[in-house]
Amino acid sequence: MTVRRLASEDVPALAGLHSEDAWMHASWGGPAGLAASGHAWAAFAERRIRSGACTYFLGSAYEDIAVARRAGAARAATGPAGSSHGRPASG
């Protein structure tokens, strides 16, 4: 997996995000706007975005960030469905 700042060549990968994740680039005018902004980073595996973070609101004193990840990436990191990885111990 590679983490890097997004650039114009990443527009197809951004456009290929699931529709539930389109909010991430909507405030930038779409995939091309976010890729050109210089305010977004993503983790790539096999040329696909697995997770990403970007500036969501940029103010003069504060910056809000947005983070999105693919559901499949979570399973790869925490184990198969039904496993106890990441869950508190019962009892």
Side-chain angles (χ1 to χ4, degrees), residues 45-80:
E46 300 172 9
R47 294 185 289 189
R48 296 188 62 172
I49 295 174
R50 300 301 182 198
S51 63
C54 69
T55 299
Y56 195 67
F57 175 78
L58 181 59
S60 60
Y62 298 98
E63 180 176 357
D64 288 339
I65 63 167
V67 178
R69 66 177 170 82
R70 291 184 41 139
R75 278 193 291 279
T78 60

Side-chain angles (χ1 to χ4, degrees), residues 2-89:
T2 302
V3 177
R4 61 177 175 75
R5 186 185 306 258
L6 293 177
S8 59
E9 63 267 14
D10 299 315
V11 171
L14 283 167
L17 290 174
H18 191 277
S19 61
E20 291 179 3
D21 295 324
W23 60 268
M24 190 168 181
H25 53 68
S27 63
W28 288 96
L34 180 59
S37 73
H39 292 278
W41 291 74
F44 288 83
E46 300 172 9
R47 294 185 289 189
R48 296 188 62 172
I49 295 174
R50 300 301 182 198
S51 63
C54 69
T55 299
Y56 195 67
F57 175 78
L58 181 59
S60 60
Y62 298 98
E63 180 176 357
D64 288 339
I65 63 167
V67 178
R69 66 177 170 82
R70 291 184 41 139
R75 278 193 291 279
T78 60
S83 72
S84 62
H85 296 287
R87 293 185 190 151

